[in-house]
Amino acid sequence: MTPRPSRPIGVASRLCALAIACYPRDPDRARDLRELCDDELEDARRRRGARGVIGSALRMSANLVASAAIARVRDTNRGRHAPSQRTHMVDSIGHELRQAVRSLRRVPGFTATAIVVLGLALGVNVAVFSVANALLWRPLTSVAPDRVVRLYLTVSGAPTPRLSWLDYDDYRQHHEAFADLAAVNLAQVVVDDGVRVDQGLAETVTGNYFRTLGIRTSIGRLLDDRDEHADVVVLSHRVWAERFNADPGAIGRTIRVAGRPMTIAGVAPPSFTGTFVAAPIALWMPLRDEVLPRGWRTDRERSVFQVIGRLAPGLSRVQAAARLDVIARGLEHANGPMANGVGAAIVPGTLLHGPQRRPVETIFALVVALASLVLLIASVNLANLTVSRATARRRDVAVRLALGAGRLRIVRQMFIEGLAVAIPAAVLGCLIAVWILPALVAIRAIPTLRFAIDLSPDVRVVGFVLMTTAVAAAIVGGLPAVPLMRAASQGVLKDTATALISGAPRNRLQTALVVAQLAASIVLLITASLIGRSFLRALDADLGFDPSRTVAVDLQVPATRYDAQSGARLLDRVVAAAHQLPGVVAVSLATRAPVDISTRAVEILVPGYESHQDRAFRTATYYAIGDEYFDLIRLPLVGGRAFTPADRDGSALVAIVNETFAHRFWPGQNPIGRAFVVSPDRSKPEERVTVVGVARDSKYVSVGEDPQPHVYLAARQHYSAGTALLVRTSAEDRRLPDSVQRLLRSIDPDLQGFFPRTLEQHVAVSLLPRRILAGLAGSLAALASLLALVGLYAVTASVVAQRTRELALRLALGAAPADLRRLILVYALRLCAWGTAIGLAASFAGTRVLSAFLFRLSPTDPVSFVAVPISLAATALAACYVPARRAMNLDPTIALREG
Amino acid sequence: MAARRRPEDLLPLKPLHFLLLLSLVDGYRHPYGLKKDVEARGDRTTPIGPGTLYRAMEQLVDADLIQESGRRPAPDRDDERRHYFRLTPFGRAVVAAEATRLAGLVKIARSKRLVEGPV
């Protein structure tokens, strides 16, 4: 039996296969090439391990793509030209490539710099694009991905990604729209394999889930329709490798999941990580009451499922949407008034979907724009350096034009020279991307939660690499061609002396390019400064409460064994027991730890505002909290009282509101004693609550939010099986999370605290996007500025070298060395000033776009707009000091003699 | 029908072509083995890419210098997926002609003391 190839070889082999696909269709050739590649990869693996495999794969792919291009030209010309001409054309391109490589070999320093600089810029772009691709565009499955879609409900036109079981059941009967329709829910579970007990995430799915996605098993078997009532699970490849050492003997073993014994039926393929973006899924299991909310099968308001479907054969998305409309209307009739205004919609089957998509798209649009700017700067930088080198080419080009060589031919040659740098730079860039990507996605929001993102390259990433390489080649090769062509066509075979005084065209181009780079750097630096300052402001933002010395865990009361009464008693016991832990000063339940992105909103009806047009007057965020909540997080009450044990199930319903709420609905009046209607749970009737207290404003969803109305309800009066437990101690206690877990297990062995974290870490989660963005923007800006300054240095040094005779003349005629130094520095500063002016103008115009990302900071923040240009000018002066000194220290006699 | 070709018509050979033909003098090889041979001779500092190798071999086949071999290794050492190649008689003549040409050049280099060895 042939051993299964290791993962690096698998990926590398796929990369080579992609490159082979660039050849014109020829199964024999494809097979032969594939064989060659596989042999080489196996050899590389034996000799150099995984690194060698990747290096080999990239090298071979580049070679294959270039050869494929030549093969295409040859195959196309085979019909039109006689054999001798065919070989001539092919040989010509090959010849030009070889010439370009030879000419680059002659200047190893420049070539190495060029490849490194461009490689860095390309690497950053590839990394950013890979992450964007993995999050935004990667489909749920690679098997006919365009046929897989997500089903949304639309309620009064507003789309919602979550359906109840009854809704799902309604639609799955209808085969005219879908060949298959599967439901999936994300659950936190406890997994006990007899040796270790761990928390993890699981997808609970209908039997047809894997079939709908077209996933084929790696080991054992996957879930299918007969498993809807069976106790079997499918492990993720990661868990199988980590916990069972990738032992095929794990199939058939029994583990306990959410307290229930389940048999391991199989292992999913390594590339499949579920349908919830970035969630590290441990296993897939059938729908079980243990992990689903009470009443999920019968309550139409329990919208806990995401629904994924494969379109019926031959049906386009538009046709399917039309059929869905018909189905929805039919259901309206069948299900009565509750289904009024409820329709259905189809959304492309990507990992990231729904309301989560927009913010991620916006962030990535910004990051990709910044990264592209860096690439532009790097390419222009290189083009500039090439222009300096190209002086000798002018004569050569002029002669060739005079002898009748087509302009197109010369342009093609310059493009090929650009390719000769861009292709190795692209290879280096891919290696850099492969190196930094794991670090990027290893960022952990909280210690126990890591992201699972599939970053393997697919067609889109390869296409992006090819496109950026071509663009870089065009700039690096094409830009220097401009002055060459113009000068050459003017019949230039001029003396260098004339060029010196008149300021040759190539100098103007170089100057313009440097100014452009500096301007782009200014834009990047100002952007990074704004984002960075905004992040620091958000870090310091007044939360309104004190998150220190507090631990939060998420509790899940097992729904199969506890109803509302017994569950509430259980939670009381937990709170009482937590108080007994050493050092604990306060304990409270809360439906969410404060500042949580999943904080729910609730419909409110305040007398006098019931029919207010603005939705902001009919909803508020809410938590259901325990008595000690405000003491625990040190959030002061500015009026009335906190909840007490008297506020329990059966007694008058009470609420505490925040200042914004009180001010919005009862401005200038005392809110204590006022009543309003609230409906926290759509499956229960609305409730009339009375305000007993007013709390200071705080943050509820994210640190950067504006003040918004918020309601606190009494946890005793609003039981929830899923709630957070907050425990505050008098001093920092690292062992507190473990103590809490032991305590929970001692009360009920199946009770676990999920995602234990400090409240500070919890609050930091909402700052994570800002933190990442600030880091990325800062790094890109630093890289870009470095490139621009190197460019400025190079141009200044080049100017000094070119003007040596003139400077020496000045010295000989009595100028002071300090004058020369000032001349050069002023030249550099002038370039800087132009770059700054253009950059500032562009920033003024452009940073408005950033307002969405900024926290309490104006997009035209004066500090950024002043500090950045000054710093850049200072650094530019430092960078140009060396050429300036060289000018100063010229020996006139030597310089004039050498002239 | 084309005029009869002489081996000298194809000279000088490209270095990679010459090395491939040289490796086949000893008998039939498959492409990967050829690649390893050529790289091991130390004439190349970078590995030969698969596309480059394949193109070179295609050109040699087109020029009737090599062809697929009917012979195969013993079954226990064979992999039925692999294709094996061998020199054609014309190919053998061409590689011999090229070797002779190169030997002549080396002789001249020796006479000028650029290379050590008997003149």
Side-chain angles (χ1 to χ4, degrees):
Chain A
M1 183 178 79
T2 23
R4 218 164 358 102
S6 66
R7 185 171 161 82
I9 288 199
V11 170
S13 188
R14 271 203 295 279
L15 183 63
C16 292
L18 268 172
I20 291 171
C22 296
Y23 276 85
R25 197 171 151 66
D26 183 347
D28 286 349
R29 173 168 54 198
R31 185 201 53 227
D32 290 343
L33 286 170
R34 195 81 196 255
E35 228 172 75
L36 265 171
C37 291
D38 287 350
D39 283 336
E40 181 66 34
L41 289 174
E42 184 54 38
D43 194 37
R45 186 194 64 77
R46 261 185 281 114
R47 285 189 289 121
R48 298 192 304 274
R51 276 235 173 90
V53 167
I54 294 171
S56 271
L58 290 171
R59 216 176 23 244
M60 288 195 289
S61 303
N63 175 266
L64 284 165
V65 169
S67 301
I70 296 175
R72 279 193 178 269
V73 169
R74 194 172 60 218
D75 285 4
T76 311
N77 288 332
R78 212 163 257 179
R80 289 196 255 123
H81 296 279
S84 56
Q85 277 174 286
R86 175 213 337 152
T87 15
H88 173 75
M89 167 91 81
V90 165
D91 280 343
S92 173
I93 293 182
H95 171 72
E96 282 168 26
L97 245 175
R98 276 194 298 276
Q99 250 197 335
V101 169
R102 261 201 296 272
S103 102
L104 283 174
R105 275 222 182 106
R106 280 197 287 267
V107 279
F110 164 80
T111 307
T113 314
I115 292 177
V116 166
V117 161
L118 200 55
L120 269 173
L122 282 170
V124 160
N125 273 270
V126 170
V128 163
F129 185 85
S130 293
V131 177
N133 179 52
L135 291 179
L136 292 173
W137 301 305
R138 195 178 286 272
L140 288 167
T141 172
S142 50
V143 179
D146 51 317
R147 307 296 299 162
V148 174
V149 293
R150 290 185 184 268
L151 181 68
Y152 279 21
L153 280 189
T154 56
V155 179
S156 310
T160 169
R162 300 169 88 93
L163 279 69
S164 67
W165 175 257
L166 291 175
D167 291 323
Y168 160 72
D169 205 26
D170 285 339
Y171 282 95
R172 80 160 161 180
Q173 324 275 358
H174 289 272
H175 297 286
E176 61 265 33
F178 297 105
D180 250 319
L181 201 63
V184 54
N185 169 263
L186 186 66
Q188 296 165 347
V189 294
V190 175
V191 181
D192 179 358
D193 63 3
V195 172
R196 238 167 73 184
V197 178
D198 269 336
Q199 300 169 358
L201 291 174
E203 287 188 357
T204 52
V205 300
T206 49
N208 59 354
Y209 172 81
F210 287 104
R211 188 175 68 230
T212 305
L213 290 170
I215 306 296
R216 277 186 290 278
T217 184
S218 155
I219 312 276
R221 70 170 183 87
L222 295 172
L223 298 181
D224 53 39
D225 294 312
R226 60 189 149 134
D227 295 318
E228 300 240 343
H229 303 287
D231 286 336
V232 287
V233 296
V234 169
L235 296 181
S236 71
H237 202 269
R238 174 184 57 89
V239 162
W240 179 60
E242 282 174 7
R243 285 185 83 162
F244 297 93
N245 288 321
D247 174 17
I251 310 297
R253 278 177 58 178
T254 303
I255 56 174
R256 288 177 75 85
V257 178
R260 195 180 174 117
M262 312 276 264
T263 311
I264 300 175
V267 179
S271 55
F272 183 64
T273 51
T275 51
F276 288 86
V277 66
I281 303 296
L283 52 92
W284 289 267
M285 56 188 282
L287 305 173
R288 287 283 168 274
D289 290 333
E290 282 88 341
V291 293
L292 288 164
R294 236 158 209 274
W296 63 273
R297 246 188 224 281
T298 50
D299 188 347
R300 208 173 268 276
E301 295 298 322
R302 290 245 174 260
S303 307
V304 294
F305 292 104
Q306 294 193 6
V307 176
I308 297 166
R310 189 171 281 275
L311 294 175
L315 208 62
S316 74
R317 228 177 260 165
V318 172
Q319 290 167 329
R323 291 201 185 171
L324 275 181
D325 269 339
V326 172
I327 298 170
R329 267 180 274 127
L331 289 170
E332 251 182 316
H333 282 298
N335 293 333
M338 255 178 72
N340 272 355
V342 176
I346 287 179
V347 162
T350 49
L351 272 171
L352 191 64
H353 66 113
Q356 305 165 309
R357 255 192 99 86
R358 178 55 74 80
V360 175
E361 278 175 342
T362 324
I363 291 182
F364 272 104
L366 178 66
V367 176
V368 166
L370 295 179
S372 306
L373 210 50
V374 170
L375 181 61
L376 197 64
I377 293 178
S379 307
V380 166
N381 200 313
L382 281 182
N384 227 351
L385 293 176
T386 315
V387 167
S388 311
R389 270 185 58 231
T391 26
R393 310 287 308 276
R394 293 168 66 212
R395 260 187 213 126
D396 169 50
V397 168
V399 166
R400 291 176 75 188
L401 279 177
L403 289 176
R407 274 170 183 271
L408 208 58
R409 176 82 186 267
I410 295 184
V411 167
R412 186 183 76 193
Q413 189 185 3
M414 310 234 64
F415 177 70
I416 288 179
E417 286 181 12
L419 270 181
V421 170
I423 289 181
V427 171
L428 176 65
C430 288
L431 288 171
I432 291 176
V434 164
W435 183 56
I436 63 179
L437 273 174
L440 265 181
V441 298
I443 297 169
R444 289 191 186 201
I446 52 177
T448 45
L449 184 65
R450 76 178 110 175
F451 294 120
I453 303 181
D454 178 15
L455 289 168
S456 55
D458 61 10
V459 154
R460 272 176 298 267
V461 172
V462 170
F464 179 79
V465 170
L466 292 176
M467 187 195 71
T468 43
T469 308
V471 166
I475 295 177
V476 171
L479 268 182
V482 170
L484 278 184
M485 299 291 281
R486 200 169 351 117
S489 71
Q490 285 163 7
V492 150
L493 287 167
K494 263 189 204 153
D495 222 2
T496 33
T498 354
L500 204 56
I501 294 164
S502 64
R506 67 169 184 283
N507 256 351
R508 272 210 290 278
L509 176 67
Q510 279 186 291
T511 315
L513 292 180
V514 165
V515 166
Q517 286 175 62
L518 289 167
S521 299
I522 291 276
V523 171
L524 276 166
L525 282 168
I526 289 183
T527 305
S529 169
L530 287 172
I531 293 177
R533 276 168 63 76
S534 167
F535 169 65
L536 290 174
R537 290 227 171 148
L539 260 185
D540 282 335
D542 180 18
L543 298 168
F545 62 90
D546 174 13
S548 64
R549 297 192 296 274
T550 305
V551 162
V553 294
D554 293 342
L555 299 180
Q556 196 67 37
V557 176
T560 43
R561 290 168 33 220
Y562 294 91
D563 61 12
Q565 276 83 29
S566 53
R569 281 197 298 275
L570 176 75
L571 290 174
D572 278 342
R573 280 169 58 199
V574 167
V575 171
H579 267 293
Q580 306 305 316
L581 291 173
V584 168
V585 300
V587 179
S588 176
L589 298 171
T591 43
R592 293 286 185 278
V595 190
D596 192 312
I597 199 145
S598 68
T599 297
R600 287 237 167 113
V602 68
E603 306 264 335
I604 53 173
L605 288 171
V606 181
Y609 295 88
E610 290 93 335
S611 45
H612 203 286
Q613 297 295 8
D614 189 350
R615 255 187 89 76
F617 282 73
R618 297 199 319 268
T619 53
T621 48
Y622 87 100
Y623 302 143
I625 58 173
D627 306 336
E628 291 175 60
Y629 180 81
F630 294 106
D631 279 339
L632 191 149
I633 62 170
R634 310 276 198 262
L635 177 61
L637 288 167
V638 296
R641 62 171 180 83
F643 297 129
T644 66
D647 302 312
R648 59 176 191 281
D649 199 25
S651 56
L653 296 173
V654 292
I656 298 174
V657 301
N658 70 348
E659 289 169 306
T660 302
F661 191 112
H663 185 75
R664 179 171 293 190
F665 295 104
W666 305 292
Q669 302 158 47
N670 184 5
I672 310 292
R674 295 199 178 264
F676 61 96
V677 169
V678 70
S679 45
D681 189 340
R682 272 179 303 154
S683 63
K684 297 207 201 99
E686 297 166 340
E687 302 170 338
R688 198 158 184 282
V689 296
T690 308
V691 177
V692 297
V694 180
R696 168 86 44 90
D697 273 347
S698 174
K699 304 285 180 192
Y700 311 103
V701 179
S702 77
V703 170
E705 69 189 24
D706 292 321
Q708 54 185 312
H710 187 82
V711 175
Y712 299 93
L713 301 172
R716 282 208 194 79
Q717 296 178 331
H718 296 90
Y719 168 74
S720 172
T723 185
L725 177 72
L726 303 172
V727 180
R728 191 184 190 99
T729 47
S730 50
E732 290 284 348
D733 183 357
R734 290 254 167 83
R735 293 159 308 169
L736 186 59
D738 288 332
S739 314
V740 168
Q741 296 285 27
R742 273 197 301 274
L743 176 150
L744 293 172
R745 272 202 295 278
S746 71
I747 296 179
D748 182 326
D750 287 326
L751 193 57
Q752 269 254 350
F754 288 96
F755 306 125
R757 60 217 183 263
T758 65
L759 203 53
E760 278 156 335
Q761 285 168 336
H762 175 86
V763 170
V765 169
S766 84
L767 284 174
L768 192 63
R770 266 184 220 285
R771 186 190 298 269
I772 295 176
L773 196 57
L776 273 173
S779 315
L780 290 174
L783 181 61
S785 312
L786 184 66
L787 292 173
L789 287 170
V790 165
L792 180 63
Y793 167 85
V795 162
T796 312
S798 150
V799 161
V800 167
Q802 284 161 25
R803 293 170 74 169
T804 304
R805 286 196 75 193
E806 178 205 330
L807 296 169
L809 255 163
R810 287 180 189 242
L811 273 178
L813 292 174
D819 289 337
L820 292 190
R821 183 183 59 200
R822 200 186 53 232
L823 189 73
I824 301 301
L825 287 178
V826 162
Y827 170 79
L829 266 182
R830 201 154 21 113
L831 292 186
C832 217
W834 273 108
T836 303
I838 298 174
L840 282 176
S843 301
F844 261 117
T847 49
R848 246 156 274 285
V849 162
L850 284 179
S851 317
F853 300 100
L854 300 179
F855 177 72
R856 305 253 170 93
L857 197 70
S858 151
T860 50
D861 170 45
V863 169
S864 301
F865 275 75
V866 166
V868 161
I870 291 180
S871 333
L872 191 69
T875 333
L877 277 177
C880 296
Y881 191 69
V882 169
R885 264 186 70 112
R886 211 178 292 149
M888 260 175 64
N889 294 337
L890 277 176
D891 185 338
T893 42
I894 300 177
L896 283 171
R897 218 181 316 137
E898 277 174 354
Chain B
M1 184 164 154
R4 191 150 167 194
R5 287 185 303 162
R6 301 176 308 150
E8 291 73 21
D9 294 341
L10 271 70
L11 303 191
L13 286 179
K14 290 190 179 135
L16 178 59
H17 291 177
F18 177 64
L19 287 169
L20 287 170
L21 293 174
L22 202 60
S23 290
L24 283 170
V25 168
D26 298 326
Y28 56 89
R29 303 297 301 278
H30 62 71
Y32 189 66
L34 281 172
K35 173 173 139 69
K36 285 294 155 195
D37 257 0
V38 169
E39 285 169 3
R41 284 178 212 267
D43 294 307
R44 293 183 70 93
T45 47
T46 47
I48 307 173
T52 308
L53 178 70
Y54 193 93
R55 192 165 67 251
M57 295 198 65
E58 261 187 336
Q59 287 165 343
L60 290 174
V61 167
D62 279 353
D64 197 30
L65 301 180
I66 66 175
Q67 68 186 70
E68 266 204 65
S69 168
R71 289 184 61 190
R72 305 190 71 87
D76 56 322
R77 277 186 295 136
D78 191 12
D79 183 341
E80 62 176 29
R81 299 170 306 160
R82 296 202 183 281
H83 292 227
Y84 290 81
F85 290 87
R86 63 175 184 81
L87 283 178
T88 60
F90 184 61
R92 191 171 285 269
V94 168
V95 70
E98 176 70 358
T100 306
R101 183 187 75 86
L102 291 171
L105 291 173
V106 169
K107 192 170 173 189
I108 296 173
R110 279 202 183 121
S111 72
K112 293 181 188 287
R113 302 270 187 268
L114 286 172
V115 176
E116 287 187 1
V119 174

